[in-house]
Amino acid sequence: MNKNCFHYIKRHFVFCKLAFLIFALHSFNCQSQQNMITPPYLQKGDTVALLATARKNIDDNLKPTIDLLHSWGLEAVIGSTIGLDYHQLAGTDEQRAADFQKQLDNPNIKAIWCVRGGYGTVRMLDLLDFTKFKQHPKWVIGFSDVTVLHNHLNTMGYKSIHGIMPVTVPRATPDAVSSLKAALFNEPISYSISPTPMNRLGSATGELVGGNLSILYSLLGSPSAIDCKDKILFIEDLDEYLYHIDRMMMNLKRNGCIENLKGIIIGGMTSMKDNEVPWGKNALEIIDDVTQKYNIPVIFNFPAGHIRDNRALIMGNTVSIEVTASGSTVTFKK
């Protein structure tokens, strides 16, 4: 073998090794991104922090929630934002961030339960440092505006719980309450839903993402925007104009989210509004219109969102959905 040939083979061998290493690292990185971290499930004696990240909570209305936690064998800590009154918000952005940060950093706090939604969580988000949270992950619970935190934690690789909040405990159905307990204590979660004519049949398995549609829409293009590829998307909303539902769905479509999904779950589309000149379709019909070209299963009227029967959903968890003519199932994998 001549010298030039030897050097060529040597260089080619080194190149192949380098290419293989890059491929292996890329595959490992992709695999790591798919393995969502599950915070420790709760045990009797654990402590849950109740705080406000958005709208103020100045009423004496947390006793039913504290009693519920005690019935589960848990303790409650009331955050410093409860009772603060800053216009619509539970204190300034800095005050709300400081309270949330304190509970994030405290290893004795095993879950943070946001007392209510409204608007304002996104205003404090960039003031938070998740360094200690990564060392001691914990459950973040809530819905509506708390979707900001669900999406941000998802981009970081952590699961969270979309479910009832302390101010909704008194009017929540027993099934909604028990589903939150199941999610927190690592009990099996599987939902069976009656058939709806608009459902699109099929089955799929993937990571559950999403939450409030308006929040998802507002986070697109930011570091907190979710990755829709190969995911199952859950959406719900409250008190929106119908044309705005269409605008938000079109935005998801044009951002490439819908075409990359494995399935869609639509929760409550509650108290929708229309203009003097009607839009012509209700919220479910709008969603159906935007998504019908995609060959994926879709569940309508799932019991979650701004409704009494707001079942708990572990965001970031792998779920399997099956939609048949006789009904639908949503099963959370362990």
Side-chain angles (χ1 to χ4, degrees), residues 60-79:
D60 184 15
N61 56 1
L62 296 181
K63 187 177 185 303
T65 297
I66 295 171
D67 290 344
L68 177 66
L69 291 173
H70 287 167
S71 73
W72 293 350
L74 302 172
E75 300 299 323
V77 165
I78 306 300

Side-chain angles (χ1 to χ4, degrees), residues 34-106:
Q34 294 170 355
N35 293 331
M36 301 293 290
I37 296 173
T38 305
Y41 292 103
L42 299 193
Q43 299 178 358
K44 288 187 176 182
D46 284 345
T47 301
V48 177
L50 309 180
L51 49 72
T53 61
R55 186 169 294 169
K56 62 188 176 185
N57 196 76
I58 57 177
D59 300 323
D60 184 15
N61 56 1
L62 296 181
K63 187 177 185 303
T65 297
I66 295 171
D67 290 344
L68 177 66
L69 291 173
H70 287 167
S71 73
W72 293 350
L74 302 172
E75 300 299 323
V77 165
I78 306 300
S80 60
T81 45
I82 304 303
L84 291 185
D85 187 351
Y86 183 74
H87 306 296
Q88 291 187 12
L89 302 173
T92 65
D93 299 338
E94 290 76 15
Q95 287 174 317
R96 299 194 318 282
D99 191 13
F100 199 89
Q101 190 72 60
K102 178 181 178 181
Q103 314 308 334
L104 274 183
D105 293 349
N106 186 347

Side-chain angles (χ1 to χ4, degrees), residues 145-166:
D145 196 58
V146 184
T147 297
V148 170
L149 294 169
H150 293 317
N151 282 232
H152 191 74
L153 289 169
N154 184 272
T155 66
M156 293 169 51
Y158 292 86
K159 299 179 185 180
S160 57
I161 298 175
H162 181 286
I164 61 173
M165 292 187 284

